[in-house]
Amino acid sequence: MRAAVLTALETVELQERPEPTAEPGWVVVKVESASLCGTDVHQYDGRIDTPFPRVPGHDFAGVVESVGEGVDEALVGQKVAVKPSLPCRECDQCGKGKPADCPRKKLIGLWSDGCLTEKVTVPSVNLIPRPEGVEAWQASLLEPLAVGLNTVDRLRILLGETVVVLGQGPIGLALTRLCALSGAGRLIVTDAREAPFEIARAYGATDCLDVSRVDDPKQAILDLTENGAGADIVIETSGFPASSAMCLDLVRKEGKLAHIGWANDLPPLPVVPIMAKTLTVLGIGGNGGRGQYERAQELVRTGRFDMEPLVTHRFGLDDVAEAFAVASAKTDGAIKVIVEP
Amino acid sequence: MRAAVLTALETVELQERPEPTAEPGWVVVKVESASLCGTDVHQYDGRIDTPFPRVPGHDFAGVVESVGEGVDEALVGQKVAVKPSLPCRECDQCGKGKPADCPRKKLIGLWSDGCLTEKVTVPSVNLIPRPEGVEAWQASLLEPLAVGLNTVDRLRILLGETVVVLGQGPIGLALTRLCALSGAGRLIVTDAREAPFEIARAYGATDCLDVSRVDDPKQAILDLTENGAGADIVIETSGFPASSAMCLDLVRKEGKLAHIGWANDLPPLPVVPIMAKTLTVLGIGGNGGRGQYERAQELVRTGRFDMEPLVTHRFGLDDVAEAFAVASAKTDGAIKVIVEP
Amino acid sequence: MRAAVLTALETVELQERPEPTAEPGWVVVKVESASLCGTDVHQYDGRIDTPFPRVPGHDFAGVVESVGEGVDEALVGQKVAVKPSLPCRECDQCGKGKPADCPRKKLIGLWSDGCLTEKVTVPSVNLIPRPEGVEAWQASLLEPLAVGLNTVDRLRILLGETVVVLGQGPIGLALTRLCALSGAGRLIVTDAREAPFEIARAYGATDCLDVSRVDDPKQAILDLTENGAGADIVIETSGFPASSAMCLDLVRKEGKLAHIGWANDLPPLPVVPIMAKTLTVLGIGGNGGRGQYERAQELVRTGRFDMEPLVTHRFGLDDVAEAFAVASAKTDGAIKVIVEP
Amino acid sequence: MRAAVLTALETVELQERPEPTAEPGWVVVKVESASLCGTDVHQYDGRIDTPFPRVPGHDFAGVVESVGEGVDEALVGQKVAVKPSLPCRECDQCGKGKPADCPRKKLIGLWSDGCLTEKVTVPSVNLIPRPEGVEAWQASLLEPLAVGLNTVDRLRILLGETVVVLGQGPIGLALTRLCALSGAGRLIVTDAREAPFEIARAYGATDCLDVSRVDDPKQAILDLTENGAGADIVIETSGFPASSAMCLDLVRKEGKLAHIGWANDLPPLPVVPIMAKTLTVLGIGGNGGRGQYERAQELVRTGRFDMEPLVTHRFGLDDVAEAFAVASAKTDGAIKVIVEP
């Protein structure tokens, strides 16, 4: 079968690989749709280290093709979404039946070969059945929603609170929509390009600020909050140092900051303002693993989260090199790039 | 000046009364709009005892006409909404500067003459300035929203949870809208008449059930929840015994019930199901008094809560008798009846 | 082997039974200590229906004697506490790997033969390893602590709050100690006999009230709260109608009630006071199943919860009939009766 | 009257000052006891800038000697504790009757002359009546308790959680006691000297670590937590850079950090660990201003918080220079130094 293989920096080739078979407890999934995320792109451009050759990709959906020993045969033919992290199955938490809390969970596509291929094997516990009304391409985009749900679950927005979402990539856009659905009042979003703002507005943003076009982005955002006193809640999703550097200043006294944007070059947070303003800072490290994936899928199924605007580009597996080039350069206002083997 | 006066059961007359003047710390408000609520109607129909003669009415808005000693003169001419309960100003809580927690707060119109007149006096602390974009008729409808906000603040709905709102009178409709804005997923509402369902749907209800048209309302509601297992959250607003009697059965294991509907003939709640299902039962006794009025006004100002559909009838003060007759009989699908002196 | 068998109301006999063997996934536990709880006593006295003959008992601890297929052989010889409820292993929740949420969980000793015997089989997931310093008799008393922990986890006592615990049976005493450890300020406890008060005081109660000796227990309790305004938190554990009937009146405005005491003849709770006082009512239906057993054991191991005072009587299996008679009549100030096969 | 006056760095003199009189709404308090806190000492040693000459001191208690216009005469002779921060009475929050939320609140003794004198004037709203059983010296030590209460209120410790308190100065010791009272299980405390550990143990610490005597304090603390996985809760009170620098590493995955220790040279917090471990970071900037002072006093009155061990030195006003010297050098294991005019 065909597989996309990262063979060197910025080099992805189509290679022939043997078809996989399922070990006990595992299943073979035929990949119908995979979405490229920041991790894939950073493996490609070198900001994340990965051994070469490596089949990248972890956000995907498809159909169960065969099952290993101990797995219900009835799963064959089941349409599924797939959780992308594999529990280690060796640690204490795994032993206690809490794989979601496994501290050594590994993302496929990064620590092992991933989903940018025709077929892939995963443990059966990673499967989430797809109901009628959720297409494979939608199910391959659930990760940003699940991360966003984990965020709003912890933030507990009170109806009418002012929320700032910094960055309008896929996770930022997901949070814009989820905060709008969760009761945000004024919903201010920022990005360094105009491209995502049309989607952001459709998702419920009340104010969109292109930080590349103002002299003082921090003051421009504060000016949009009540009396310039800062937002009740600030969510940093961009991972850009300049954005992270201003996030504490954007929160009002006794407000909350959720930090999701991840990069190695983020500036550290000064402690005194956190104390002086009595802030609560929440670190968001993933999708929480407590049902957020399933709930994200339900938001899509019921139409409350419309994924259509997020998908700006679609490619077949044969054009995977171009898919990576577009996703990396964010060509043509690219938000989400989908590969459909 | 003219005043509407309850002189006996189901009897409201227009009488001439002297114009009020403001004591120290109080103000005279010119009434621009007053809305009739269940309390007024029950004073009229006798389900709530009130001494006669009595000027009824407590939900109103207007303009400050004059101020008493110690009140800022600049308030004259200010457009205001008015909180309807007067703190006693004698108890411990009042002494500690926490009038919102005053245990002896008294509703005007019930314990003293109310707002169905041309001018009324209230303490200046009961005023809420009305910003541009909030009309007097809207501000006279804030109470059900404030009660609803207090409810959703305590319920802390998680995005996508299934919510049942029993009863679609003004408070029930307010909660339908507020739950939709706060992240409810499936949002099931009930009433014993079809009239409010069009509004409920516009406010975000996903399922409307006329309980007068099904044999087994409880089962009909359960059938609308996932696997028939009950809702995450149930909110009883109707005050009808039959509705209150089924509310515990409608909540899923580990779910929450908020009870707002108030009547003297409510059946008591059995204890064993509360324990067996590990429920949380929240009693809602008012608007909370911690900023909910101001936040309710902001939801109206920003258009997130459209009050237009709630107002089915408007009368001048001269027609106040007809206003009460309509509100009491719920003629012509009456939801909210407004009197504009 | 010997087994205690309920053959009729108030009749428990010692019979010879075959030794059990472990199915796949199950283990045989040699019973070292079993404690009698209210359920056992009510099976004996007829307040709970049970089929006869039945081996009663579910709160126990011992040593793993043998294991079934698929269970780690290393468990043999392990000292263990045992969770008393068996998940059905057939429902959705069991299927999702959440046996703690199984809605059809069955108590051994009630729905199947129990632990008042020499050896019993249970699923390996019900085992909790006993560390050094936790004796079998202590581990057979964990259930009331785990229920109590589930209660204080949900109540979230603020340091210094006034707490009332109604009833000082084993669960009431457990809550007295756990509330004292969790920050209760004034800690008022009640019972209809003096016997448990010495323990209650040692556990941290500040005020002990024998409700059988005062004319108006409700007023007597209120008089112990600040300004007679009621307690921040009330916990009803007695299961007596008269106690449950006054619990709402004992809570202050905006306070919390936790109801644990279970009986079929409890009076229902009136709704209006729950609303008028803006109360939160928490139903407690068990130990929560989310680590409370393990945490309870740790409180015992570290000496923060001293179980010694709870155990008033100990019997061998040969004297099980007397053990039931004492537990049922609460002879000699009986709190907890232990049977050590 | 005599007043202690900071006239230059490390220079405090006794001077004669005119007796104060009370403006409308204010009262004159005769100072019975004042305690020196870190702020006073840093004004003295120059780590906090203050204009000279300045009468330092803000933590004090005494008796009301006279009252200004509009204040109840009955207050004269009342024993009081005094909240140390003066609301500005001009801002929006002050106007809304929420002086506790005043963003421009000023500490007396720093922004205006303070309490190290015989008599001082404060607004009557800053007074807290002292009940029988609370001495002036105790009431002059309430601030660290109130800050500690604000901290445990926000942390919501679950019974049995492992807590680390970094630093055992007055606030650290207060937190040790408050965490012990609030249900901490293992309670690990650190300091760079042995002196406070005897008190810490009496207050409930289970493990005391002198960080000056171990090579790797971080590892030494982690070794005291379960499986070395970190504490459920870490509270940094020392204000030392080396202590603050390790605090994130001491928290377990999904745990909480409260940061109170305040200094201008604290290293900033890296963002990635906050995300990777899904942490919650709470900034504590004061006593919260929502009843914590009153509750702190009640803990003292009831004997649950024994202040005796905190007071290592007492001086009269004539010896105020020596008092500052001792507090600054922490001579003889000094914890709290009290000045009794």
Side-chain angles (χ1 to χ4, degrees):
Chain A
M1 63 175 192
R2 295 164 302 150
V5 184
L6 280 172
T7 54
L9 284 189
E10 306 204 346
T11 311
V12 52
E13 292 177 8
L14 214 60
Q15 298 185 352
E16 197 65 20
R17 294 280 175 109
E19 298 224 347
T21 53
E23 306 167 60
W26 288 52
V27 303
V28 173
V29 176
K30 182 167 178 302
V31 180
E32 294 183 313
S33 177
S35 70
L36 298 191
C37 104
T39 301
D40 306 307
V41 171
H42 292 334
Q43 291 177 263
Y44 173 84
D45 67 21
R47 289 181 66 193
I48 291 178
D49 288 334
T50 199
F52 300 128
R54 166 68 77 229
V55 177
H58 55 267
D59 288 336
F60 72 107
V63 175
V64 176
E65 187 169 277
S66 61
V67 302
E69 193 187 314
V71 180
D72 187 355
E73 287 277 353
L75 271 180
V76 175
Q78 171 72 52
K79 295 173 178 182
V80 289
V82 186
K83 295 186 196 175
S85 285
L86 308 188
C88 75
R89 318 213 147 246
E90 293 174 359
C91 70
D92 264 22
Q93 298 300 327
C94 285
K96 287 182 192 165
K98 296 176 160 179
D101 294 336
C102 169
R104 293 190 240 150
K105 239 179 323 191
K106 301 288 190 194
L107 209 57
I108 63 165
L110 183 57
W111 299 95
S112 60
D113 278 345
C115 69
L116 282 166
T117 174
E118 293 181 55
K119 295 172 188 177
V120 68
T121 64
V122 293
S124 65
V125 295
N126 279 46
L127 302 180
I128 302 164
R130 266 193 287 142
E132 278 308 298
V134 179
E135 302 300 316
W137 68 268
Q138 293 170 313
S140 72
L141 290 168
L142 288 174
E143 176 71 6
L145 256 76
V147 171
L149 266 177
N150 187 27
T151 307
V152 293
D153 286 352
R154 288 182 69 204
L155 283 170
R156 296 278 166 130
I157 300 170
L158 279 180
L159 183 51
E161 286 191 315
T162 295
V163 179
V164 172
V165 181
L166 300 170
Q168 291 290 287
I171 287 184
L173 284 164
L175 271 156
T176 297
R177 182 67 186 141
L178 297 174
C179 288
L181 289 172
S182 297
R186 193 149 204 175
L187 180 47
I188 303 159
V189 307
T190 69
D191 204 84
R193 53 181 192 154
E194 295 277 342
F197 290 161
E198 188 180 338
I199 308 174
R201 275 188 209 99
Y203 277 4
T206 59
D207 301 85
C208 298
L209 185 81
D210 182 342
V211 291
S212 71
R213 300 200 176 191
V214 291
D215 287 339
D216 185 346
K218 181 167 77 181
Q219 192 56 49
I221 296 166
L222 284 173
D223 289 346
L224 293 168
T225 68
E226 198 181 344
N227 301 323
D232 298 299
I233 288 169
V234 172
I235 306 171
E236 154 53 35
T237 75
S238 76
F240 281 106
S243 186
S244 182
M246 70 180 167
C247 61
L248 288 176
D249 293 328
L250 300 174
V251 194
R252 71 161 168 86
K253 212 184 152 196
E254 302 195 355
K256 294 177 193 167
L257 166 69
H259 206 294
I260 310 173
W262 190 302
N264 294 326
D265 54 354
L266 291 177
L269 297 171
V271 185
V272 166
I274 296 175
M275 295 186 288
K277 297 208 290 186
T278 316
L279 302 185
T280 300
V281 179
L282 305 170
I284 309 291
N287 62 50
R290 298 189 176 92
Q292 285 85 355
Y293 241 84
E294 291 78 355
R295 286 165 57 210
Q297 185 167 251
E298 186 65 8
L299 289 174
V300 172
R301 189 189 67 78
T302 57
R304 304 186 76 215
F305 196 110
D306 177 10
M307 284 181 150
E308 193 75 53
L310 291 178
V311 181
T312 51
H313 296 77
R314 291 165 188 260
F315 296 91
L317 191 55
D318 294 341
D319 299 316
V320 68
E322 191 183 345
F324 268 88
V326 166
S328 176
K330 295 191 182 173
T331 316
D332 298 329
I335 308 283
K336 266 295 184 188
V337 173
I338 277 182
V339 176
E340 292 166 316
Chain B
M1 65 175 190
R2 294 165 302 152
V5 184
L6 281 172
T7 54
L9 284 188
E10 305 204 346
T11 310
V12 53
E13 292 176 8
L14 213 60
Q15 298 185 352
E16 195 66 17
R17 293 280 175 110
E19 298 224 346
T21 54
E23 307 167 60
W26 289 53
V27 303
V28 173
V29 176
K30 183 169 178 300
V31 180
E32 294 183 314
S33 177
S35 69
L36 298 191
C37 104
T39 301
D40 305 308
V41 171
H42 293 334
Q43 290 176 262
Y44 172 85
D45 67 19
R47 289 180 68 193
I48 291 179
D49 289 333
T50 200
F52 299 128
R54 167 67 78 231
V55 178
H58 54 268
D59 287 337
F60 72 108
V63 175
V64 176
E65 188 169 275
S66 61
V67 301
E69 193 188 313
V71 180
D72 186 354
E73 288 276 353
L75 272 180
V76 176
Q78 171 73 54
K79 295 175 179 180
V80 290
V82 186
K83 294 186 195 175
S85 285
L86 308 188
C88 74
R89 314 213 150 247
E90 293 174 359
C91 69
D92 265 24
Q93 299 299 329
C94 285
K96 286 182 192 164
K98 294 176 161 180
D101 294 337
C102 168
R104 294 190 241 149
K105 240 180 324 191
K106 301 289 188 192
L107 208 57
I108 62 165
L110 183 55
W111 299 95
S112 59
D113 278 344
C115 69
L116 281 165
T117 175
E118 292 180 57
K119 296 172 187 175
V120 69
T121 63
V122 293
S124 65
V125 295
N126 278 47
L127 303 180
I128 302 164
R130 266 193 287 139
E132 278 308 299
V134 179
E135 302 300 318
W137 69 268
Q138 293 170 313
S140 72
L141 290 168
L142 289 175
E143 177 71 8
L145 256 76
V147 171
L149 266 177
N150 186 27
T151 307
V152 295
D153 285 353
R154 289 181 67 204
L155 282 171
R156 296 279 165 128
I157 302 169
L158 279 180
L159 184 50
E161 286 191 315
T162 295
V163 179
V164 172
V165 182
L166 299 170
Q168 291 291 285
I171 287 184
L173 284 164
L175 272 155
T176 298
R177 182 64 186 144
L178 296 174
C179 288
L181 289 171
S182 298
R186 193 150 204 175
L187 180 48
I188 303 159
V189 307
T190 69
D191 204 85
R193 54 181 192 154
E194 295 277 341
F197 289 161
E198 188 180 339
I199 308 173
R201 275 188 210 97
Y203 277 4
T206 59
D207 301 83
C208 298
L209 185 80
D210 182 341
V211 291
S212 70
R213 301 201 176 190
V214 291
D215 287 337
D216 185 346
K218 181 167 78 182
Q219 194 55 50
I221 296 166
L222 285 172
D223 288 347
L224 293 168
T225 67
E226 197 180 345
N227 302 322
D232 298 300
I233 288 170
V234 173
I235 305 171
E236 155 52 36
T237 75
S238 76
F240 281 107
S243 186
S244 182
M246 70 181 168
C247 61
L248 288 175
D249 293 329
L250 300 175
V251 194
R252 71 161 168 83
K253 211 183 154 199
E254 301 196 354
K256 295 177 193 167
L257 166 68
H259 207 294
I260 309 174
W262 190 302
N264 293 326
D265 54 353
L266 291 177
L269 298 171
V271 185
V272 166
I274 297 175
M275 295 187 288
K277 296 207 290 186
T278 316
L279 301 185
T280 300
V281 178
L282 304 170
I284 309 291
N287 62 52
R290 298 191 174 90
Q292 284 85 357
Y293 242 84
E294 291 78 355
R295 287 164 56 210
Q297 185 168 249
E298 186 66 9
L299 289 175
V300 173
R301 190 189 67 78
T302 56
R304 304 186 77 213
F305 195 111
D306 177 9
M307 284 183 151
E308 193 75 53
L310 291 178
V311 180
T312 51
H313 297 76
R314 291 164 190 259
F315 296 93
L317 191 54
D318 294 340
D319 298 318
V320 68
E322 190 183 344
F324 268 88
V326 165
S328 176
K330 295 190 182 174
T331 316
D332 298 330
I335 307 284
K336 266 293 183 190
V337 173
I338 277 183
V339 176
E340 290 166 317
Chain C
M1 64 174 189
R2 294 165 302 150
V5 184
L6 280 172
T7 55
L9 283 189
E10 305 204 346
T11 311
V12 53
E13 293 177 7
L14 213 60
Q15 298 185 352
E16 196 65 20
R17 294 279 176 110
E19 299 224 345
T21 52
E23 307 166 59
W26 289 52
V27 304
V28 173
V29 177
K30 183 169 178 301
V31 180
E32 294 183 314
S33 176
S35 70
L36 298 191
C37 104
T39 301
D40 305 308
V41 172
H42 293 333
Q43 291 177 262
Y44 172 84
D45 67 21
R47 288 180 66 193
I48 291 178
D49 289 332
T50 199
F52 301 127
R54 167 67 78 229
V55 178
H58 55 267
D59 287 336
F60 72 108
V63 175
V64 176
E65 188 170 277
S66 62
V67 302
E69 192 188 315
V71 180
D72 186 354
E73 288 277 353
L75 271 180
V76 175
Q78 172 73 53
K79 296 173 178 181
V80 289
V82 186
K83 295 187 196 175
S85 285
L86 308 188
C88 74
R89 317 213 148 246
E90 292 174 0
C91 70
D92 264 22
Q93 298 299 327
C94 286
K96 286 181 193 165
K98 296 175 160 182
D101 294 336
C102 168
R104 294 190 241 151
K105 240 180 323 191
K106 301 288 189 193
L107 208 58
I108 62 165
L110 183 57
W111 299 95
S112 60
D113 279 344
C115 69
L116 282 165
T117 176
E118 294 180 56
K119 295 173 188 175
V120 69
T121 63
V122 293
S124 65
V125 295
N126 278 46
L127 303 180
I128 302 164
R130 266 193 287 141
E132 277 309 297
V134 179
E135 301 301 316
W137 68 269
Q138 294 170 311
S140 72
L141 290 167
L142 288 176
E143 176 71 7
L145 257 75
V147 171
L149 266 177
N150 186 27
T151 306
V152 294
D153 286 353
R154 288 181 69 205
L155 282 170
R156 295 277 164 131
I157 300 170
L158 279 180
L159 184 50
E161 286 191 315
T162 295
V163 179
V164 171
V165 181
L166 299 170
Q168 291 291 288
I171 287 183
L173 284 165
L175 272 155
T176 297
R177 181 66 187 141
L178 296 174
C179 288
L181 289 172
S182 297
R186 192 148 204 176
L187 179 49
I188 302 159
V189 308
T190 70
D191 204 84
R193 53 181 193 154
E194 295 277 341
F197 290 162
E198 188 180 338
I199 308 173
R201 276 188 208 98
Y203 278 3
T206 59
D207 301 85
C208 297
L209 184 81
D210 183 340
V211 290
S212 71
R213 300 200 177 192
V214 291
D215 286 339
D216 185 346
K218 182 168 77 182
Q219 193 56 50
I221 296 166
L222 284 172
D223 288 346
L224 293 168
T225 67
E226 198 181 344
N227 302 323
D232 298 300
I233 287 170
V234 172
I235 306 171
E236 154 53 35
T237 74
S238 76
F240 282 106
S243 185
S244 182
M246 70 181 167
C247 60
L248 288 175
D249 292 329
L250 300 174
V251 194
R252 71 161 168 84
K253 213 184 151 196
E254 301 195 356
K256 294 177 192 167
L257 166 68
H259 207 295
I260 308 173
W262 190 303
N264 293 327
D265 54 354
L266 291 177
L269 298 171
V271 184
V272 166
I274 296 175
M275 294 187 288
K277 297 208 289 186
T278 316
L279 303 184
T280 300
V281 178
L282 304 171
I284 309 291
N287 62 51
R290 298 189 175 92
Q292 284 86 355
Y293 242 85
E294 290 78 355
R295 287 165 58 209
Q297 185 168 251
E298 186 65 9
L299 289 174
V300 172
R301 190 189 67 78
T302 57
R304 304 186 76 213
F305 195 112
D306 177 9
M307 284 182 151
E308 193 76 54
L310 291 178
V311 181
T312 51
H313 296 78
R314 291 165 189 261
F315 296 92
L317 191 54
D318 294 340
D319 299 317
V320 69
E322 190 184 344
F324 268 87
V326 166
S328 177
K330 296 190 182 174
T331 315
D332 298 330
I335 308 282
K336 267 293 183 188
V337 173
I338 277 183
V339 176
E340 291 167 317
Chain D
M1 65 175 190
R2 294 165 301 152
V5 184
L6 281 172
T7 54
L9 283 189
E10 305 203 346
T11 311
V12 53
E13 293 176 8
L14 213 61
Q15 298 186 352
E16 196 65 19
R17 293 279 175 111
E19 298 224 345
T21 53
E23 307 166 61
W26 289 52
V27 303
V28 173
V29 176
K30 182 168 178 301
V31 180
E32 294 183 314
S33 176
S35 70
L36 298 190
C37 104
T39 301
D40 306 308
V41 171
H42 293 333
Q43 290 176 263
Y44 172 85
D45 67 19
R47 289 180 67 193
I48 291 178
D49 288 334
T50 199
F52 300 127
R54 166 68 78 230
V55 178
H58 54 268
D59 287 337
F60 72 108
V63 176
V64 176
E65 188 170 274
S66 61
V67 301
E69 193 187 314
V71 180
D72 187 355
E73 287 278 352
L75 272 180
V76 175
Q78 172 72 53
K79 295 174 178 180
V80 290
V82 186
K83 294 186 196 175
S85 285
L86 308 188
C88 74
R89 315 212 150 247
E90 292 173 0
C91 70
D92 264 23
Q93 298 299 329
C94 285
K96 286 182 193 165
K98 296 176 160 179
D101 294 337
C102 168
R104 293 189 242 150
K105 240 178 326 191
K106 300 289 189 193
L107 209 56
I108 63 166
L110 183 56
W111 299 95
S112 59
D113 278 346
C115 69
L116 281 165
T117 175
E118 293 180 56
K119 296 173 188 177
V120 69
T121 63
V122 293
S124 65
V125 296
N126 278 47
L127 303 180
I128 302 164
R130 267 193 286 141
E132 279 306 298
V134 178
E135 302 299 318
W137 69 268
Q138 293 169 314
S140 73
L141 289 167
L142 289 175
E143 176 71 7
L145 256 75
V147 171
L149 267 177
N150 186 28
T151 308
V152 293
D153 286 352
R154 289 181 67 204
L155 282 170
R156 295 281 164 126
I157 301 169
L158 279 180
L159 184 50
E161 286 191 315
T162 295
V163 179
V164 172
V165 181
L166 300 170
Q168 291 290 287
I171 287 184
L173 284 164
L175 271 156
T176 297
R177 181 65 185 141
L178 297 174
C179 288
L181 289 172
S182 298
R186 193 149 204 175
L187 179 49
I188 303 159
V189 307
T190 69
D191 204 85
R193 53 182 192 153
E194 295 276 341
F197 289 162
E198 189 180 339
I199 309 174
R201 276 188 208 96
Y203 277 3
T206 59
D207 301 84
C208 298
L209 185 80
D210 182 341
V211 291
S212 71
R213 300 198 176 192
V214 291
D215 286 339
D216 184 346
K218 181 167 78 180
Q219 193 54 50
I221 297 166
L222 284 173
D223 288 347
L224 293 168
T225 68
E226 198 179 345
N227 301 323
D232 299 299
I233 288 170
V234 173
I235 305 171
E236 155 53 34
T237 75
S238 76
F240 282 107
S243 186
S244 182
M246 71 181 167
C247 61
L248 288 175
D249 292 330
L250 300 175
V251 194
R252 71 161 168 84
K253 212 184 153 196
E254 300 194 357
K256 295 177 192 166
L257 167 68
H259 207 294
I260 309 173
W262 191 301
N264 294 326
D265 54 353
L266 291 177
L269 298 171
V271 184
V272 166
I274 296 174
M275 295 187 288
K277 296 207 290 186
T278 316
L279 302 185
T280 300
V281 178
L282 305 170
I284 310 290
N287 62 51
R290 298 191 175 91
Q292 284 86 357
Y293 242 84
E294 291 79 356
R295 287 165 56 209
Q297 185 168 251
E298 186 65 9
L299 289 174
V300 173
R301 190 189 68 78
T302 56
R304 306 185 77 213
F305 195 111
D306 177 9
M307 283 182 151
E308 194 75 54
L310 291 178
V311 180
T312 51
H313 297 76
R314 291 166 190 258
F315 297 92
L317 191 55
D318 294 341
D319 299 318
V320 68
E322 189 183 345
F324 268 88
V326 166
S328 176
K330 295 189 182 174
T331 315
D332 298 330
I335 307 285
K336 267 293 184 190
V337 173
I338 277 183
V339 176
E340 290 165 318

